[in-house]
Amino acid sequence: MNLLSAAAKVSSMTMLSRVLGLVRETLIARAFGASEMTDAFNVAFRIPNLLRRLFAEGAFSQAFVPILGEVHTKNGEKATKDLINVVATLLFWSLLITVIIGVVFAPYLVLMIASGFKSSDTYSISVVLTRLMFPYIGFISLVSLAAGILNTHKKFLIPAFTPVLLNLGMIAGSLLIAPYFSTPIYGLGIGVMLGGILQLAIQIPALLRIGMMPQIGLGLKNIRAATQNPEAMRILKLMGPAIFAVSVSQLSLIINTNIASHLQTGSVSWLSYADRLMEFPTALLGVAVGTVLLPSLSRANASGDVDQAKHLMGWGIRLTFVLACPAAVALFIFGTPLAASLYHYGKFSPLDVEMTRLALQAYGVGLIGLILIKILAPGFYAKQDIRTPVKIGLVVLVFTQCLNFIFVPYFAHAGLALSIGVGACLNAALLWIGLARKGHMLAANQAWGWFFLRLVIALLVFAGILYLGANHHDWISLAQTPLKRIFFMLGWGTVAIMSYFVVLKICGFRFKEFIRHTHH
């Protein structure tokens, strides 16, 4: 199996999803700007989004995929199908209870996340939106179960495509549904639910084709039997600490949202618009490479192939540095052209562009860390070692919140983004050290010093071109000719990217090193 080709397939789908995500954010920015409405929506969507990250990209997958892969390798199709049915039963009933609790206690959840909204219209709109969108958690968690099954069977394409449908649902919500409401932002909430239903529906034919459609046990007898299944209990035991390990940055985001709700109106939205741009490379690289790495690492560990596991980690990390470093530099230097070209329309003001740029610059500091976490964490999960990332997570959570005390008084909302970025770099460094100490890290024949020297030379050229581009035009006054502005932004970006890869080639980089096959 060609890992680069698998990662490229996942990345191309993720790319489509992120492009649509940017279209969605541009439409929201144009219609609502950075206002009380968008603050209310972002707070309400933060709750299902947190749980989506835990399940779809986090704890559930990290615990479920290695054990499903192990059962599939050792015990065959029948045992795999039995485990899927048991896990589906447990997941369905726990989600049903979670959704009911979430809808009933929505007013308290909003207060926990955004206490600064108390006794305002923003608060009451946030509560309605939370109730409207909470069932999305149920749909997206079942989607992640289906994705885990399909990924284990090396069917990466459909699971990678599903986020596209959420963006289409939200675009339909903002363009077609919102105008029918006296509070138009409710249309976005309905769009989220529509996206969740579509995401689940598209997985069903793919599961039927491989004969792995989960059967949910509805009777008490089935539920009791599911709770006594030893493999399912192993998954639950792994999930508990994994929830914390994966959600450290998400917990920081929740705390930061609460702090932002006490800052200037629009702060929650500025962070959210910057977050959308920062997530572009994070998802494209981190999620794609991480998704492909985890099943391969699990198989290498299950068969005791230590060298293969080390080579896989080295491949993932080198690919991350080559592609993530320019993305981080772009966020740091090229923030105004990006924010202006994508968001500066309709109700989105020049002040909103500047505030989004400051948040982007702060996120740029931590982008490498945020992506590396997604590559390094599977090194622990594939070994079914969840405890180490949990300990690291606790240290990072405390560290991040301590940084808020220092940064927020000076940088306001951008200080919140900066503390998350610096915290992510610490998280990645500690994960790296942890893997190295256990001897799971990197093969000895990889020359890292020479690798980084060539990378820095190419990055300096890349940064120089972007700096010229960012300061050559008045990006705000180019709003009169938006297509021209987008053309300039893409033009400078293309020249910078091409120069980066040409310089890498001149420095002796061999890109065929990244076309990596697994033994399985």
Side-chain angles (χ1 to χ4, degrees):
M1 177 185 152
N2 183 339
L3 272 191
L4 187 65
S5 151
K9 279 180 188 166
V10 175
S11 251
S12 64
M13 287 298 116
T14 310
M15 178 75 163
L16 178 60
S17 162
R18 291 310 179 211
V19 167
L20 279 171
L22 283 175
V23 170
R24 168 191 112 193
E25 291 298 308
T26 303
L27 290 169
I28 294 169
R30 184 176 190 152
F32 304 104
S35 61
E36 289 93 341
M37 293 292 145
T38 51
D39 279 2
F41 175 79
N42 286 317
V43 162
F45 195 42
R46 189 73 83 216
I47 306 163
N49 225 19
L50 166 71
L51 291 163
R52 173 182 75 83
R53 296 245 171 100
L54 294 190
F55 282 102
E57 293 163 14
F60 179 72
S61 330
Q62 312 291 20
F64 178 58
V65 173
I67 291 176
L68 189 68
E70 188 185 301
V71 169
H72 190 245
T73 305
K74 292 180 179 172
N75 306 334
E77 293 287 312
K78 169 82 172 65
T80 308
K81 184 80 170 78
D82 290 343
L83 178 59
I84 287 167
N85 292 342
V86 163
V87 171
T89 301
L90 289 173
L91 191 62
F92 175 80
W93 287 105
S94 54
L95 287 170
L96 189 63
I97 294 161
T98 305
V99 167
I100 291 166
I101 290 169
V103 170
V104 172
F105 292 101
Y108 303 101
L109 284 171
V110 172
L111 271 185
M112 274 168 55
I113 287 183
S115 55
F117 289 173
K118 197 174 179 181
S119 66
S120 69
D121 287 346
T122 316
Y123 172 70
S124 50
I125 293 166
S126 298
V127 171
V128 173
L129 283 166
T130 302
R131 286 186 163 143
L132 199 56
M133 294 190 283
F134 214 90
Y136 174 71
I137 295 160
F139 289 112
I140 200 62
S141 303
L142 293 171
V143 165
S144 73
L145 169 71
I149 298 163
L150 291 168
N151 286 341
T152 304
H153 285 77
K154 300 197 185 106
K155 310 284 182 200
F156 295 112
L157 214 54
I158 295 283
F161 178 73
T162 53
V164 170
L165 297 169
L166 172 65
N167 289 320
L168 288 174
M170 289 178 74
I171 289 167
S174 66
L175 285 180
L176 307 175
I177 303 169
Y180 290 98
F181 285 90
S182 56
T183 308
I185 203 87
Y186 293 158
L188 263 185
I190 290 171
V192 169
M193 284 304 300
L194 179 65
I197 293 163
L198 290 172
Q199 282 176 298
L200 189 56
I202 198 175
Q203 306 267 10
I204 292 167
L207 289 169
L208 289 170
R209 270 199 300 277
I210 59 168
M212 287 288 163
M213 181 69 187
Q215 290 168 321
I216 295 162
L218 299 177
L220 270 175
K221 200 169 92 175
N222 299 98
I223 298 165
R224 201 174 293 118
T227 57
Q228 287 162 0
N229 181 289
E231 302 299 350
M233 288 307 100
R234 272 175 71 205
I235 292 169
L236 284 177
K237 270 185 193 154
L238 281 176
M239 257 189 86
I243 281 174
F244 195 88
V246 176
S247 65
V248 166
S249 64
Q250 297 308 309
L251 283 171
S252 284
L253 206 57
I254 292 280
I255 297 167
N256 285 8
T257 304
N258 202 333
I259 297 168
S261 74
H262 291 269
L263 299 173
Q264 188 180 346
T265 297
S267 293
V268 175
S269 299
W270 296 324
L271 283 168
S272 182
Y273 288 125
D275 193 45
R276 166 58 50 192
L277 273 170
M278 184 269 297
E279 274 191 357
F280 205 87
T282 313
L284 222 57
L285 300 168
V287 177
V289 177
T291 301
V292 173
L293 259 187
L294 185 56
S296 300
L297 272 176
S298 300
R299 279 193 292 274
N301 285 319
S303 58
D305 192 342
V306 178
D307 285 342
Q308 169 75 345
K310 284 183 177 179
H311 277 291
L312 282 167
M313 286 303 296
W315 170 83
I317 289 164
R318 288 163 93 91
L319 188 63
T320 299
F321 274 111
V322 168
L323 299 176
C325 287
V329 169
L331 288 185
F332 195 81
I333 292 174
F334 210 56
T336 300
L338 287 168
S341 304
L342 292 165
Y343 299 141
H344 183 218
Y345 308 97
K347 292 186 178 175
F348 203 87
S349 69
L351 172 72
D352 296 332
V353 172
E354 177 58 15
M355 293 302 196
T356 305
R357 179 192 73 81
L358 291 171
L360 273 176
Q361 206 164 33
Y363 274 133
V365 173
L367 184 72
I368 304 290
L370 286 161
I371 294 175
L372 272 179
I373 292 166
K374 293 180 191 296
I375 309 298
L376 295 168
F380 290 95
Y381 301 135
K383 280 277 200 188
Q384 292 167 33
D385 168 14
I386 309 286
R387 297 184 82 162
T388 309
V390 170
K391 288 177 191 166
I392 290 169
L394 271 169
V395 171
V396 171
L397 184 62
V398 174
F399 177 72
T400 304
Q401 293 315 314
C402 289
L403 289 178
N404 279 338
F405 283 107
I406 302 164
F407 293 151
V408 174
Y410 291 101
F411 306 117
H413 71 289
L416 294 167
L418 188 58
S419 62
I420 279 192
V422 175
C425 290
L426 176 69
N427 197 335
L430 293 174
L431 286 171
W432 186 304
I433 293 162
L435 282 172
R437 276 198 186 147
K438 289 172 186 275
H440 303 328
M441 194 58 199
L442 305 166
N445 61 351
Q446 294 169 334
W448 286 95
W450 176 225
F451 169 81
F452 281 119
L453 179 64
R454 291 178 293 175
L455 197 61
V456 167
I457 294 166
L459 282 171
L460 287 170
V461 173
F462 178 80
I465 292 167
L466 286 189
Y467 182 79
L468 275 175
N471 293 285
H472 189 72
H473 308 281
D474 181 349
W475 294 93
I476 296 297
S477 65
L478 278 170
Q480 309 301 320
T481 50
L483 287 176
K484 194 173 173 184
R485 179 165 65 180
I486 290 167
F487 175 76
F488 284 151
M489 186 262 292
L490 291 174
W492 282 104
T494 305
V495 170
I497 290 163
M498 287 171 68
S499 306
Y500 172 72
F501 283 111
V502 166
V503 173
L504 280 180
K505 186 85 174 147
I506 292 167
C507 290
F509 239 82
R510 294 201 311 278
F511 295 104
K512 65 181 180 193
E513 289 171 18
F514 293 104
I515 302 168
R516 152 133 225 111
H517 293 266
T518 59
H519 300 337
H520 299 271

